[in-house]
Amino acid sequence: MEILDRYIGKAVTLGIIAAMSVILSLDFLVSFAGEVGEIGKANYSYWQAFIYVALRTPQKIYEI
């Protein structure tokens, strides 16, 4: 029974990680696309927009 429990646990964990990866990548792209409109205003560059979106990722993980 212990082997079956580990197998089920591993399958569930990998499924959650896969789903979170897809959701987070889509959210990252949408958030970055939202920031593109602000690029060029007050020395706001692509790199700063990327950093801003990347630093919000832990908050998105928590929300999801």
Side-chain angles (χ1 to χ4, degrees):
M1 193 67 171
E2 184 178 322
I3 295 173
L4 183 60
D5 291 340
R6 277 190 276 150
Y7 175 75
I8 292 172
K10 182 179 177 181
V12 169
T13 303
L14 289 176
I16 290 171
I17 290 171
M20 287 280 288
S21 298
V22 169
I23 291 170
L24 284 173
S25 12
L26 288 174
D27 182 67
F28 188 89
L29 289 173
V30 168
S31 296
F32 187 75
E35 291 295 315
V36 168
E38 301 298 320
I39 292 174
K41 298 179 183 175
N43 296 327
Y44 190 58
S45 66
Y46 282 102
W47 181 247
Q48 290 172 329
F50 178 81
I51 295 295
Y52 173 74
V53 173
L55 289 176
R56 291 194 55 192
T57 301
Q59 176 186 1
K60 296 292 185 173
I61 292 171
Y62 179 74
E63 289 175 0
I64 293 172

